[in-house]
Amino acid sequence: MDAFTAGLLQRIRSTEHDLHRAREAGDDYLAEVEQSELEDLHRLASEHGVEVSV
């Protein structure tokens, strides 16, 4: 696995964790921001052929 792929997958895991925490805290704005970031990261992964396990 190259550095780009590893970094991207780490960012996805981190953003998923942050999204979960925002939802648990009831912070709708932060959850929306994290969800948008996660969607962007998944789009980037798809564009570069990086498989993301769900």
Side-chain angles (χ1 to χ4, degrees):
M1 177 179 312
D2 62 25
F4 173 79
T5 300
L8 182 57
L9 293 174
Q10 176 57 40
R11 286 182 60 197
I12 288 171
R13 283 190 298 273
S14 177
T15 303
E16 287 172 339
H17 176 73
D18 292 345
L19 174 59
H20 179 72
R21 288 181 54 202
R23 287 178 175 162
E24 280 185 337
D27 189 334
D28 293 336
Y29 175 75
L30 182 56
E32 192 172 314
V33 169
E34 296 296 346
Q35 181 65 47
S36 292
E37 176 70 12
L38 189 57
E39 289 169 5
D40 286 344
L41 291 169
H42 278 271
R43 178 190 49 77
L44 185 62
S46 177
E47 288 174 358
H48 290 275
V50 176
E51 248 186 75
V52 179
S53 59
V54 181

